[in-house]
Amino acid sequence: MGCSVAGSAAHRSGDHREHRRRCAPHTVNRFSEGQGRITYLTVDQIARLVECAKADGNAQIYPSIVIRLETAMRKSEILSIRREDIDLERRVVFIPKAKAGAREQPITEHLGEFLASYAAALQPGNPWLFPSRGAKASHTVDVRKPFRRVVTAAGLDPDQILRHTLRHTAITHLVQAGVDLPTVKRISGRKTLAMVERYAHAHGAHIQTALDKLQVRFMLA
């Protein structure tokens, strides 16, 4: 796969036909719910987005996307992470100003290793995971432009795929994987279980799988 970024291999080689094939727009999954429509990405679309983020010239967009996909954290929570708030041994990130109140965000083993490598490459002495000299807060507060650029490079519609789409994507895939809703609530930092239940309608396959397990357990005549 390639990304439609300036100076990409497809453009340099002149293979425009192959470039167009690889960068063809993808269908975005949506499901309707009483409080509106939720848009989320498929596994293939996620892989493409991550690949294009790696290739982008902005050094912060790739790690910010990886963190959001693996934690369902909000944009403001991610960009304001302090390096001292990352506990790799316990695999948690402390979020002092989360929307629902201060909390500890669980992270995967992969993300822990990723953060350790990423933080090690940062300039020593800066407390922020996403530092910015020009920002009043001393850390990056907005990645809208590079995010739109990466979404476009991945062949997706930047007017449909917004930053919170990745949060919806992470939560939706947790539900589809069969993770119980209280655990999804804990991971995502949602205030109430009712807010998580919205995502239970995203795909019926995991519900059918649960019923199949019940059928096998009982084996009724």
Side-chain angles (χ1 to χ4, degrees):
M1 293 189 298
C3 298
S4 55
V5 291
S8 67
H11 281 273
R12 289 196 299 269
S13 67
D15 191 354
H16 298 292
R17 183 179 301 174
E18 175 67 9
H19 174 71
R20 285 196 299 269
R21 182 187 70 80
R22 290 179 174 182
C23 294
H26 295 268
T27 300
V28 176
N29 285 336
R30 292 182 175 184
F31 64 92
S32 297
E33 195 272 337
Q35 299 181 37
R37 300 178 69 178
I38 293 178
T39 301
Y40 67 97
L41 302 180
T42 66
V43 172
D44 288 342
Q45 290 168 340
I46 290 170
R48 184 168 184 77
L49 184 72
V50 169
E51 179 194 14
C52 292
K54 272 186 182 181
D56 191 77
N58 186 298
Q60 295 185 343
I61 191 62
Y62 170 55
S64 68
I65 285 177
V66 170
I67 295 171
R68 177 162 286 203
L69 286 170
E70 292 206 25
T71 64
M73 287 172 65
R74 298 172 178 86
K75 181 264 296 184
S76 59
E77 295 172 345
I78 293 171
L79 297 180
S80 61
I81 293 176
R82 287 180 173 269
R83 294 163 68 173
E84 64 183 13
D85 289 334
I86 302 173
D87 189 332
L88 295 177
E89 185 175 342
R90 295 177 56 231
R91 294 218 309 246
V92 296
V93 174
F94 177 62
I95 308 174
K97 296 182 179 180
K99 190 173 182 179
R103 65 185 178 90
E104 288 187 334
Q105 171 68 50
I107 61 175
T108 64
E109 180 179 3
H110 168 264
L111 184 56
E113 294 172 352
F114 177 87
L115 290 176
S117 176
Y118 174 71
L122 294 175
Q123 184 177 1
N126 193 304
W128 304 103
L129 195 63
F130 295 96
S132 175
R133 293 181 179 178
K136 185 177 180 180
S138 298
H139 65 79
T140 300
V141 295
D142 189 20
V143 290
R144 188 176 314 168
K145 288 184 178 179
F147 183 78
R148 286 181 62 89
R149 185 170 61 239
V150 167
V151 169
T152 301
L156 298 166
D157 184 350
D159 293 325
Q160 288 186 21
I161 308 304
L162 309 175
R163 288 160 298 168
H164 62 259
T165 302
L166 301 190
R167 176 167 165 80
H168 292 325
T169 295
I171 297 173
T172 298
H173 282 275
L174 282 170
V175 173
Q176 290 182 358
V179 179
D180 62 273
L181 297 188
T183 298
V184 175
K185 174 181 175 293
R186 166 73 176 86
I187 293 172
S188 64
R190 286 293 191 183
K191 289 184 179 181
T192 66
L193 198 58
M195 297 176 73
V196 178
E197 288 175 347
R198 299 175 60 198
Y199 299 87
H201 303 288
H203 197 287
H206 68 287
I207 297 175
Q208 189 59 54
T209 299
L211 290 174
D212 290 344
K213 290 179 179 179
L214 185 63
Q215 172 180 293
V216 172
R217 188 175 184 87
F218 287 166
M219 293 298 290
L220 299 177

